[in-house]
Amino acid sequence: MRISLDTTITYQNLLDSTNRITQHIGGTRSGKTYAILQYLLTEGLKNKSDITIVRKTFPSLKRSVMKDWKDILMRLDIWDEGKWNGSDKQYTLQSGTTITFLNTDNPDKLRGVKSDILFIDEASEIDPESYFQLSIRTSKQIILAFNPTISPYHWLRQMEECDRYTTNYKDNPFLPKEMILAIEDLKDKSPKKWLIYGKGEYAPNERAVYAFEIVEGYEGEFVGFGLDWGWNDKMSMVAIYKNGEYLYIEELIYESQMTMSDLIKRLKGIGVEREEIWCDSSEPRSIEELYRAGFNAKAVKKGPDSVRFGISILQNWKLCVPKTSQNLINEIYGYQYGEDKGGYVTDTPEGGLDHLLDAMRYVAMMKLSIKSQAKGKYQIAFK
């Protein structure tokens, strides 16, 4: 079979690399994902192999790489509906190569995967454990693609044995003029977005809510546990310790679709006994279940403007995060104040990736405010 491809420099980067792992860091519309899929097609046609294509969730998998894969094959007039297994999300090429599309929402799926070539699209969304499980089951090549929106402490930026390639919209000769103008419009509207999505470069977070430092280890007085409920979002739990002016925050739980029995088992496994667990008050039933299971679970009292109140307490401390708390590091690095329509920074943080930060804030409000620390202390004056 002979096929003719119109592709971008990312395809050539893959051919040139001699490293097992390549990182493809790109701004918006750089064409990196499409070119990687073209590369996987040609590799799969040349040699029978098992290729796995991964994204974090199935909806994102379906609307991106699965859609692009079918588009590439249809443009080449080689798509065969009979070779698509919808149940297993698997396509078989004429060479016998299998292309399996996989999402990482269910960690149990990862332990049965065996690949010759692994491609993780939007790899910055994948947690280190999922990557580890996939990588140890890949015999040959690993391809990682993502936008440069991650913190300097993210596991992808800490990776040493890999080749890194950066691309942007100028590396995509097939981009319509209207899209080029929209991207270049970011130069004046948002310098940070221009750096990330226009130039494909990492940008400092000048709107960060918290200043913090990464530490190897720590010791201090235990303050409390914080717990933020989640199902599709992450169930998130932190432990907080204080030592002088320093506050140490450690990530303990960060996991989707945890049942109450899963949570109770995890709490026992990490040695939680009768210490206070400050929980989001939105789920009183869950708090009661934890309490009946023997844990000292308590609802956080949220007053008006509680988010800003909790932030203001934490900003009075020097925050330290162990380097092992990777998800907390990513959240705290990316947590930033919003902008109004005129581009001015507001005093209201942007929501989203802040589950561990919410748990951290619960402890601060209930244990570190001036009022809470003065609780039980009295001054009596005598004449």
Side-chain angles (χ1 to χ4, degrees):
M1 176 185 293
R2 295 180 65 87
I3 59 174
S4 177
L5 296 173
D6 291 323
T7 189
T8 66
I9 194 172
T10 295
Y11 189 97
Q12 188 62 47
N13 290 338
L14 284 162
L15 293 177
D16 292 342
S17 175
T18 57
N19 208 314
R20 177 174 182 256
I21 304 173
T22 55
Q23 290 189 5
H24 302 268
I25 307 150
T28 188
R29 301 295 180 179
S30 68
K32 61 185 183 300
T33 298
Y34 206 84
I36 291 168
L37 292 175
Q38 291 174 319
Y39 172 81
L40 294 177
L41 172 62
T42 56
E43 288 298 301
L45 288 172
K46 286 190 294 185
N47 303 293
K48 182 180 178 181
S49 52
D50 294 315
I51 298 174
T52 304
I53 299 174
V54 176
R55 278 202 65 167
K56 182 180 179 181
T57 67
F58 179 70
S60 62
L61 189 72
K62 186 177 180 180
R63 67 173 177 261
S64 58
V65 285
M66 286 174 65
K67 180 176 177 293
D68 286 345
W69 175 258
K70 184 174 182 179
D71 180 69
I72 290 169
L73 269 64
M74 290 189 74
R75 284 173 181 268
L76 295 170
D77 198 28
I78 58 173
W79 172 265
D80 185 343
E81 196 68 37
K83 295 184 180 297
W84 170 249
N85 184 326
S87 300
D88 295 334
K89 308 296 183 293
Q90 191 174 84
Y91 190 87
T92 304
L93 294 172
Q94 295 91 321
S95 61
T97 289
T98 57
I99 313 289
T100 303
F101 296 87
L102 179 72
N103 61 285
T104 62
D105 274 354
N106 184 351
D108 292 336
K109 291 180 183 178
L110 309 184
R111 289 172 172 79
V113 175
K114 290 185 179 180
S115 312
D116 295 307
I117 303 176
L118 170 68
F119 167 39
I120 304 180
D121 192 32
E122 299 299 340
S124 56
E125 299 175 352
I126 307 297
D127 61 89
E129 177 60 23
S130 295
Y131 172 73
F132 172 74
Q133 294 296 335
L134 289 164
S135 66
I136 61 174
R137 292 168 174 80
T138 302
S139 61
K140 296 178 182 177
Q141 189 174 13
I142 297 176
I143 304 168
L144 307 169
F146 56 95
N147 294 121
T149 55
I150 55 177
S151 81
Y153 317 104
H154 195 282
W155 61 270
L156 283 166
R157 292 182 70 173
Q158 299 298 311
M159 187 180 288
E160 295 179 355
E161 297 299 322
C162 66
D163 285 339
R164 288 182 170 90
Y165 300 96
T166 299
T167 55
N168 59 45
Y169 71 101
K170 290 184 177 181
D171 296 304
N172 185 354
F174 312 106
L175 204 58
K177 184 178 180 180
E178 295 76 16
M179 284 188 179
I180 294 173
L181 292 173
I183 294 169
E184 292 182 343
D185 199 32
L186 293 172
K187 289 181 186 178
D188 299 319
K189 287 187 175 179
S190 177
K192 181 181 176 182
K193 287 182 178 178
W194 167 245
L195 271 178
I196 296 171
Y197 299 109
K199 299 178 72 175
E201 298 176 3
Y202 293 109
N205 192 352
E206 296 173 349
R207 291 188 278 137
V209 174
Y210 299 114
F212 73 106
E213 61 178 290
I214 310 298
V215 296
E216 293 283 343
Y218 62 91
E219 59 181 30
E221 175 191 348
F222 177 74
V223 178
F225 294 115
L227 180 64
D228 190 50
W229 307 108
W231 180 249
N232 290 325
D233 285 334
K234 302 291 186 182
M235 180 87 76
S236 303
M237 183 173 177
V238 299
I240 294 185
Y241 302 82
K242 63 180 180 179
N243 189 339
E245 62 186 344
Y246 293 91
L247 207 63
Y248 298 92
I249 307 105
E250 181 180 10
E251 168 192 332
L252 298 177
I253 296 173
Y254 195 74
E255 191 170 322
S256 301
Q257 299 182 4
M258 284 189 78
T259 64
M260 185 55 65
S261 60
D262 292 334
L263 176 59
I264 290 169
K265 185 178 179 181
R266 181 70 64 84
L267 293 177
K268 290 179 178 178
I270 58 181
V272 179
E273 295 179 345
R274 292 298 298 168
E275 300 89 351
E276 290 177 333
I277 306 174
W278 292 102
C279 310
D280 183 357
S281 57
S282 64
E283 295 195 22
R285 179 176 176 177
S286 298
I287 295 172
E288 182 63 23
E289 284 188 57
L290 267 188
Y291 185 80
R292 293 187 185 189
F295 297 100
N296 191 12
K298 298 181 177 182
V300 174
K301 296 176 183 177
K302 297 181 181 178
D305 211 9
S306 62
V307 173
R308 270 188 271 197
F309 173 60
I311 288 171
S312 67
I313 296 170
L314 287 162
Q315 287 175 333
N316 289 324
W317 296 80
K318 292 184 177 179
L319 305 182
C320 302
V321 181
K323 69 175 186 178
T324 52
S325 297
Q326 186 67 64
N327 296 301
L328 176 56
I329 290 169
N330 294 336
E331 282 199 9
I332 201 170
Y333 177 82
Y335 195 51
Q336 63 185 22
Y337 290 111
E339 292 181 338
D340 61 20
K341 292 181 180 179
Y344 294 99
V345 178
T346 70
D347 62 351
T348 302
E350 295 176 346
L353 192 63
D354 52 7
H355 314 300
L356 290 162
L357 301 185
D358 284 344
M360 179 173 83
R361 195 166 41 78
Y362 299 154
V363 180
M365 289 191 296
M366 302 309 297
K367 300 296 291 184
L368 296 174
S369 68
I370 294 173
K371 183 177 179 180
S372 66
Q373 293 190 76
K375 188 176 181 181
K377 297 177 181 179
Y378 302 94
Q379 290 185 351
I380 302 174
F382 295 94
K383 290 184 179 179

